[in-house]
Amino acid sequence: MPAFHLHPDVLALIGGLGLAYALAARRHAGRPGGEPLPRRRVVLFGVGLAALLVGATWPVHDLAERALFSVHMVQHMLFTLVAPPLLVAGTPPWMLRALLRPRAVRAAWAFLTRPVPATAVFNGVLLFTHWPVVVEASVRSEPLHLGLHALILGSGLVMWWPVMSPLPELPALSAPGQMLYLFVQSIAPTIPASFLTFGESPLYPIYATFPRVLGISAMEDQTIAGLTMKLVGGAILWAVITAVFFRWFREEREEGWDALRWHQVEREIAEELRRR
């Protein structure tokens, strides 16, 4: 186990995000007509920051960078499938609108968070950051490692927006659209996961040079990493799909069954294809 040490840069960055969130909420509440943030949003945002902190500090970060690729995979799960939806759910609409106020930022975000570009961005970043040359370079360079983490987190925020968006002007997909969209997200990780799980030699040779931790060999570590990507990542996505389905089912039962609203999904897909 790597020796304990703090990561001041990470603590400063995540602490700064939390402080900025708290100050913005306090300022908004002090304005005429402003209201304090609901406790639920504060908790969700706080848990999202906590997930980032766990993934970016000792021992997860140190094990991921200097010992076990399987822990590296856990780190990526935290940065793509755990923290982003919590951060989006915990950020109030007025704060998101303030962040998106610059015209260029709003235009870029509106484009990137459409279902097709969001899918391309998320899975493109996933495949790029698991390319052996990139992995080895990131292990050797702390600044590059930090930059890739920022890229991974950004791709996670983009990916979750069509499911979590609270802004009617940049809306989330309908419930059937969300389920189809999340199902698509579960497909691409199968490619690197298969290479990791069934590979007969180390896909990332640099991890085979590190001191072994807990008696786990390099190939065992690689297999665990592949299973983590496929099973844990898939379980998270399918848990959300299940939650969306039951929420949709409950709403449809209360409002009346609208032919499963698949016509709405067809309109969304047709509109997205026209934009392309």
Side-chain angles (χ1 to χ4, degrees):
M1 178 71 70
F4 171 78
H5 72 279
L6 294 174
H7 293 268
D9 53 342
V10 173
L11 296 176
L13 181 59
I14 295 178
L17 287 174
L19 180 61
Y21 180 89
L23 291 175
R26 182 177 180 181
R27 180 179 299 178
H28 180 78
R31 293 175 178 173
E35 297 180 355
L37 286 182
R39 181 179 297 273
R40 175 177 174 275
R41 285 198 185 276
V42 175
V43 170
L44 288 171
F45 192 85
V47 175
L49 289 182
L52 292 180
L53 188 64
V54 168
T57 54
W58 184 91
V60 173
H61 175 80
D62 301 77
L63 286 169
E65 192 174 0
R66 291 287 180 264
L68 297 172
F69 189 74
S70 54
V71 178
H72 170 97
M73 192 62 66
V74 170
Q75 189 180 48
H76 280 219
M77 296 290 103
L78 289 170
F79 292 162
T80 57
L81 300 182
V82 179
L86 290 169
L87 294 175
V88 174
T91 306
W94 60 262
M95 193 179 293
L96 289 169
R97 290 190 178 99
L99 294 172
L100 297 174
R101 184 171 294 125
R103 182 175 298 180
V105 173
R106 185 180 182 84
W109 190 253
F111 171 76
L112 290 173
T113 55
R114 293 172 185 169
V116 172
T119 299
V121 167
F122 179 72
N123 289 289
V125 170
L126 172 73
L127 296 176
F128 172 73
T129 54
H130 287 90
W131 186 25
V133 174
V134 174
V135 171
E136 181 164 347
S138 70
V139 169
R140 296 182 184 278
S141 170
E142 185 66 26
L144 178 60
H145 205 88
L146 180 61
L148 289 176
H149 284 175
L151 179 64
I152 291 166
L153 177 62
S155 74
L157 292 170
V158 166
M159 189 278 281
W160 282 101
W161 188 267
V163 178
M164 307 294 299
S165 171
L167 301 183
E169 62 270 32
L170 295 173
L173 295 168
S174 64
Q178 291 176 28
M179 290 186 284
L180 178 61
Y181 172 78
L182 289 173
F183 170 73
V184 171
Q185 306 309 324
S186 70
I187 297 175
T190 302
I191 300 172
S194 297
F195 282 106
L196 289 168
T197 304
F198 301 110
E200 296 181 355
S201 60
L203 185 60
Y204 306 108
I206 192 168
Y207 275 89
T209 67
F210 294 149
R212 305 323 307 162
V213 176
L214 303 176
I216 300 174
S217 69
M219 290 307 299
E220 290 171 340
D221 176 40
Q222 181 170 294
T223 300
I224 295 170
L227 293 174
T228 299
M229 173 180 272
K230 181 58 181 175
L231 299 182
V232 177
I236 292 172
L237 291 172
W238 277 100
V240 177
I241 291 172
T242 302
V244 170
F245 173 80
F246 281 108
R247 183 188 63 193
W248 173 55
F249 179 79
R250 183 176 64 253
E251 291 173 352
E252 289 289 348
R253 187 174 58 183
E254 294 172 354
E255 299 175 6
W257 202 264
D258 186 15
L260 295 180
R261 292 188 180 176
W262 284 110
H263 62 283
Q264 185 174 351
V265 179
E266 293 173 356
R267 287 200 303 271
E268 291 172 350
I269 294 174
E271 182 179 354
E272 184 62 34
L273 291 175
R274 283 198 301 272
R275 288 172 175 171
R276 294 180 64 192

